Amino acid sequence: MPWSAARREAYANDQASPDTLIAVSAASNRSKADKDPAEWPPSDGSYHCAYAATWVGTKLRWDLAADENERQALLGLAEEGPTTTVVYEPAV
């Protein structure tokens, strides 16, 4: 089901989650662009678990789907941090 204009606006301006905006270098931002975890894992391996948890938390928060490639990539990243917990609050 397509999102309403209000839902798209709420997603684009989500300031209630600490994971909405994460400061990164310009080079990192350009490198990632709009790629998902299947296309762009963080170069810093120590961040893989946190990245996967943040990504999954955002997907759950906004009830977003993941394709199979993305799901497999997230599972691979999650294997590196088996004790990492995904924390999120559903968006309203």
Side-chain angles (χ1 to χ4, degrees):
M1 169 191 252
W3 281 6
S4 67
R7 181 88 171 159
R8 286 192 309 272
E9 183 177 349
Y11 177 76
N13 296 298
D14 183 7
Q15 297 295 308
S17 170
D19 298 323
T20 298
L21 295 173
I22 299 172
V24 298
S25 69
S28 180
N29 192 45
R30 283 189 299 271
S31 170
K32 184 191 176 303
D34 65 349
K35 299 172 185 146
D36 70 23
E39 302 166 313
W40 185 91
S43 58
D44 181 353
S46 69
Y47 185 63
H48 285 180
C49 296
Y51 177 73
T54 299
W55 190 276
V56 170
T58 300
K59 290 282 193 170
L60 293 170
R61 177 173 172 73
W62 289 96
D63 195 27
L64 299 170
D67 65 30
E68 187 58 23
N69 288 337
E70 180 182 3
R71 191 177 84 72
Q72 289 300 320
L74 288 165
L75 287 171
L77 292 172
E79 286 176 358
E80 297 177 35
T83 61
T84 301
T85 303
V86 174
V87 178
Y88 74 98
E89 289 184 29
V92 289

